[in-house]
């Protein structure tokens, strides 16, 4: 039931609206199926252009006037071609499967990076107190926040704080159940990776050894 004065919204059909969402997310799945490592609708890619085309066509179909695209130049972008993450402790080496490079992450040297680990929890200033992270791998455990892609360490500046304090790289888990890939932004071009919650649990076991 709609409140008095809002009857006009009764014509909205959520199931029909979702068909348009499915049309857009199908473009993301196509980029994944095409083999893109950072799959989705990344700005400036042909998949981004495909979605703009969908929106443009729908707007014209629905009779909107002056429908046009306005193009602008992007700064140079970096896209990874391969990655892997392994951790060793107590005679064990584990390779993690849910690893995902951060958007705008800095590429690693040809030989990769071999770094000591510093755990900083959610990445608040208190979490960094007394911890020397310069030249090391900072590990963050973050939690989803109410938004589309927001998470705790993004809101409290944990990623940026790691970059400012001289970390060589950041590894972050956004604690969504399972072992889902979660894309995060890379602060100041810092080498950044994320991985799933199950992989984080296995990583924590290594930290105990």
């Amino acid at each position: 039931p709609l409140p008095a004065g809002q009857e006009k919204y009764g014509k909205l059909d959520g199931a029909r609206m979702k068909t348009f969402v499915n049309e857009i997310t199908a473009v993301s799945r196509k980029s994944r199926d095409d083999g893109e490592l950072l799959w989705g609708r990344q700005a400036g890619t042909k998949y981004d252009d495909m979605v703009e085309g969908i929106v443009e066509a729908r707007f014209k179909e629905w009779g909107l006037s002056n429908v046009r695209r306005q193009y602008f130049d992007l700064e140079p972008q970096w896209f990874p071609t391969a990655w892997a993450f392994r951790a060793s402790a107590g005679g064990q080496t584990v390779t993690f499967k849910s690893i995902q490079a951060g958007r705008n992450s800095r590429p690693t040297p040809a030989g990769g990076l071999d770094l000591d680990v510093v755990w900083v929890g959610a990445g608040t200033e208190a979490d960094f107190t007394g911890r020397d992270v310069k030249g090391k791998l900072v590990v963050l455990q973050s939690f989803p926040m109410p938004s589309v892609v927001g998470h705790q360490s993004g809101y409290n500046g944990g990623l940026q704080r790691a970059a400012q304090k001289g970390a060589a790289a950041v590894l972050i888990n956004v604690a969504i159940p399972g072992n889902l890939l979660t894309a995060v932004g890379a602060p100041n071009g810092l080498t950044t990776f994320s991985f799933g919650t199950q992989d984080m649990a296995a990583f924590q076991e290594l930290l105990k050894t």
Side-chain angles (χ1 to χ4, degrees), residues 70-148:
Q70 181 172 337
Y71 292 96
F72 56 91
D73 292 332
L74 293 174
E75 294 180 358
Q77 298 182 87
W78 170 78
F79 293 92
T81 56
W83 60 63
F85 177 73
R86 291 178 292 275
S88 299
Q92 300 181 68
T93 298
V94 178
T95 299
F96 297 93
K97 296 181 179 179
S98 66
I99 204 74
Q100 175 86 14
R103 296 185 299 271
N104 300 317
S105 177
R106 181 180 301 161
T108 58
L113 294 170
D114 186 3
L115 303 171
D116 290 332
V117 174
V118 181
W119 175 275
V120 295
T124 66
E125 190 61 48
D127 291 316
F128 277 91
T129 299
R131 289 177 167 85
D132 178 13
V133 301
K134 190 171 183 178
K136 298 177 183 177
L137 173 66
V138 164
V139 180
L140 291 159
Q141 171 101 68
S142 193
F143 294 89
M145 301 293 284
S147 77
V148 178

Side-chain angles (χ1 to χ4, degrees), residues 2 6-13:
L2 293 167
Q6 296 190 20
E7 291 83 1
K8 62 182 179 181
Y9 297 111
K11 294 182 179 181
L12 293 176
D13 183 345

Side-chain angles (χ1 to χ4, degrees), residues 140-143 171-176 194-198 200:
L140 291 159
Q141 171 101 68
S142 193
F143 294 89
L171 176 66
I172 183 171
N173 164 245
V174 179
I176 299 170
S194 60
F195 64 171
T197 301
Q198 290 177 2
M200 172 60 100

